[in-house]
């Protein structure tokens, strides 16, 4: 049987090597006689797993010592509320860059906390196919923080730069391009993301937050939603998502073996270039609506010129073991997510199929 390639946007493909490791130690972790799923989160085995996962993430990403790393639950969607609860700190407004689906949802949730949400720039005018240039942003120097979504998973729009926030804490929803390229963490007040796109299984949410921003929650903040309490308890105020932390830890080690973020970025550039080139040289058979400078390396949305062929495309792709290519229900068309764990040969198999399909149906 030829290999299966899974282009799901999330939960998404994991490195095969990591899945094999998990399989190998599923029943007995390192001779302990226990599965990681069965371990107390306060036992010495799991404490070691969690500590190593944090250490490896810090090493891979180069996280400075004055940042806390939290392993939480609730997904990025819970962070849409948790970030304002912790970071409003008496300010009257929050700045948002509106680049589409996820940035809009983050903003909607923040509005519940009695502050004004201010859109510094929006790409809605052209159907969210670009990132507005920074020199036109209308920022508020008094804002509690500036929030942006570094990669819009549905729209396939990715920031090619880290915004300048001039002293205002910069907050980023990095869910779908977390660890896909080197990132200067010191530019940020806070970074968050669900693990299920580029890091590990669903159920784990990673938050990286600068220490000086902790400890000023809005009144009524639940204990579990207080970053400071989570940081003081090493993310173990209650039972953490133990199995997901363990798998993410193995992914961080896999990333180190891949040569780290620079090497991973190079492969991501190569994969994305191949797929976009196939779309752009199809004589209009395929089309990607995103402007070239802002095209995502992780999520590649594209449409067939003839929508009536969509179903055949999905069916024939599946027959060639190319899975989960259907676009989001709100956008239609196709979307190929090509996260870190998607090998180049997977993208090659996809582009070969796309060319064959265009030849037969064009
Ligand atoms: C998937 C995604 C979310 C939502 O994540 P959940 O973990 O399902 O809450 C938020 N933001 C971005 C950019 C995403 O890709």
């Amino acid at each position: 049987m030829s290999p299966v390639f899974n282009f799901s946007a999330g939960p998404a493909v994991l490195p095969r090597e990591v899945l094999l490791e998990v399989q190998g130690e599923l029943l007995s972790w390192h001779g302990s006689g226990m599965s990681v799923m069965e371990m107390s989160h306060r036992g010495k085995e799991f404490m070691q797993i969690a500590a190593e996962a944090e250490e490896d993430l810090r090493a891979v990403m180069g996280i400075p010592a004055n940042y806390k790393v939290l392993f939480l639950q609730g997904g990025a969607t819970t962070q849409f509320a948790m970030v304002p609860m912790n970071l409003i700190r008496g300010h009257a407004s929050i700045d948002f860059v509106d680049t589409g689906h996820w940035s809009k949802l983050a903003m909607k949730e923040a509005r519940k906390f009695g502050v004004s949400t201010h859109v510094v720039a929006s790409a809605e005018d052209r159907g969210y196919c670009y990132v507005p240039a920074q020199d036109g942003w209308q920022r508020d120097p008094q804002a509690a923080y500036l929030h942006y979504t570094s990669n819009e998973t549905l729209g396939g729009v990715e920031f090619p730069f880290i915004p300048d926030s001039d002293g205002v804490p910069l907050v980023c929803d990095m869910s779908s391009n977390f660890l896909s390229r080197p990132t200067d963490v010191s530019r940020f007040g806070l970074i968050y993301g669900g693990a299920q796109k580029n890091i590990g299984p669903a159920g784990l949410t990673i938050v990286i937050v600068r220490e000086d921003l902790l400890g000023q929650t809005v009144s009524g903040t639940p204990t579990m939603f207080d970053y400071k309490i989570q940081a003081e308890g090493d993310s173990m105020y209650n039972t953490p998502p133990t199995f997901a932390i363990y798998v993410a830890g193995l992914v961080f080690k896999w990333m180190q073996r891949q040569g780290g973020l620079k090497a991973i970025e190079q492969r991501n550039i190569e994969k994305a270039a191949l797929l976009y080139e196939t779309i752009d040289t199809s004589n209009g058979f395929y089309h990607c609506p995103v402007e070239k400078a802002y095209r995502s390396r992780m999520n590649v949305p594209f449409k067939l010129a003839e929508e009536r062929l969509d179903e055949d495309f999905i069916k024939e792709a599946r027959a060639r073991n190319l899975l989960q290519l259907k676009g989001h229900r709100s956008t239609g068309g196709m979307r190929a997510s090509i996260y870190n764990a998607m090998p180049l040969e997977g993208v090659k198999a996809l582009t070969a199929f796309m060319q064959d399909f265009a030849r037969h149906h064009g």
Side-chain angles (χ1 to χ4, degrees):
M1 185 175 136
S2 68
V4 166
F5 295 110
N6 172 6
F7 296 91
S8 169
V13 60
L14 284 167
R16 194 175 169 75
E17 261 176 77
V18 168
L19 292 177
L20 288 169
E21 268 180 278
V22 170
Q23 183 184 43
E25 53 195 32
L26 190 65
L27 298 184
S28 173
W29 181 80
H30 293 201
S32 66
M34 292 181 284
S35 173
V36 175
M37 279 183 272
E38 305 170 305
M39 289 175 184
S40 163
H41 57 295
R42 312 219 186 260
K44 72 172 185 338
E45 292 90 354
F46 187 75
M47 296 287 269
Q48 183 194 329
I49 290 169
E52 252 179 66
E54 176 173 343
E55 209 175 287
D56 289 332
L57 173 58
R58 283 185 179 276
V60 167
M61 209 176 174
I63 301 173
N66 63 325
Y67 285 75
K68 296 290 188 191
V69 172
L70 307 177
F71 293 142
L72 307 178
Q73 305 195 47
T77 307
T78 298
Q79 294 310 310
F80 294 166
M82 225 167 140
V83 172
M85 282 182 191
N86 284 268
L87 262 52
I88 288 174
R89 298 166 297 128
H91 293 258
S93 74
I94 306 169
D95 276 355
F96 282 88
V97 188
D98 172 24
T99 48
H101 180 85
W102 291 114
S103 51
K104 276 230 272 279
L105 281 179
M107 187 159 43
K108 190 171 157 208
E109 196 69 7
R111 255 185 235 126
K112 295 187 171 175
F113 296 93
V115 288
S116 63
T117 51
H118 171 230
V119 179
V120 303
S122 173
E124 191 169 11
D125 58 345
R126 278 190 270 138
Y128 294 115
C129 68
Y130 73 108
V131 173
Q134 233 192 145
D135 51 17
W137 294 9
Q138 314 267 316
R139 291 198 305 102
D140 172 6
Q142 303 301 326
Y145 56 90
L146 169 64
H147 180 283
Y148 78 109
T149 308
S150 54
N151 185 66
E152 286 282 358
T153 322
L154 267 67
V157 172
E158 184 169 11
F159 274 71
F161 60 90
I162 297 175
D164 285 318
S165 61
D166 301 313
V168 170
L170 182 63
V171 173
C172 181
D173 175 359
M174 219 175 260
S175 295
S176 52
N177 67 351
F178 224 138
L179 302 180
S180 67
R181 56 169 79 200
T183 301
D184 180 359
V185 176
S186 73
R187 300 271 304 273
F188 295 86
L190 187 148
I191 293 168
Y192 66 92
Q196 73 274 20
K197 308 287 164 63
N198 211 13
I199 294 174
L204 168 65
T205 312
I206 296 179
V207 173
I208 300 166
V209 57
R210 215 175 61 213
E211 278 170 353
D212 62 279
L213 296 171
L214 302 180
Q216 300 172 66
T217 51
V218 297
S219 90
T221 298
T223 307
M224 282 294 291
F225 285 6
D226 185 330
Y227 292 134
K228 183 154 191 261
I229 291 171
Q230 292 286 6
E232 284 169 357
D234 288 329
S235 307
M236 294 201 195
Y237 181 83
N238 75 334
T239 315
T242 52
F243 195 75
I245 292 170
Y246 153 70
V247 179
L250 295 179
V251 171
F252 302 145
K253 288 188 194 299
W254 172 81
M255 294 182 74
Q256 287 169 314
R257 293 198 298 277
Q258 298 294 302
L261 290 182
K262 264 216 172 83
I264 286 170
E265 177 183 41
Q266 275 317 309
R267 274 190 286 276
N268 288 336
I269 289 172
E270 196 185 342
K271 288 185 294 179
L274 175 60
L275 184 44
Y276 286 116
E277 189 189 273
T278 303
I279 293 166
D280 291 341
T281 57
S282 68
N283 292 319
F285 190 88
Y286 303 107
H287 166 72
C288 170
V290 182
E291 284 183 14
K292 282 192 175 152
Y294 310 105
R295 286 178 170 181
S296 170
R297 293 174 187 166
M298 297 283 102
N299 310 99
V300 180
F302 61 93
K303 289 199 163 148
L304 278 65
E306 295 195 55
E307 210 182 309
R308 65 179 177 86
L309 292 175
D310 282 4
E311 242 172 81
D312 286 343
F313 183 91
I314 295 290
K315 212 167 82 195
E316 291 181 32
R318 199 181 301 126
R320 302 229 324 219
N321 286 337
L322 306 168
L323 308 184
Q324 309 211 58
L325 284 162
K326 202 178 160 101
H328 191 267
R329 59 188 187 278
S330 66
T331 57
M334 307 299 152
R335 175 174 50 173
S337 296
I338 50 174
Y339 297 117
N340 289 347
M342 172 61 63
L344 177 61
E345 52 166 336
V347 179
K348 283 184 174 159
L350 173 60
T351 53
F353 163 69
M354 287 169 69
Q355 283 163 348
D356 287 349
F357 187 88
R359 238 188 328 272
H360 294 143
H361 297 271

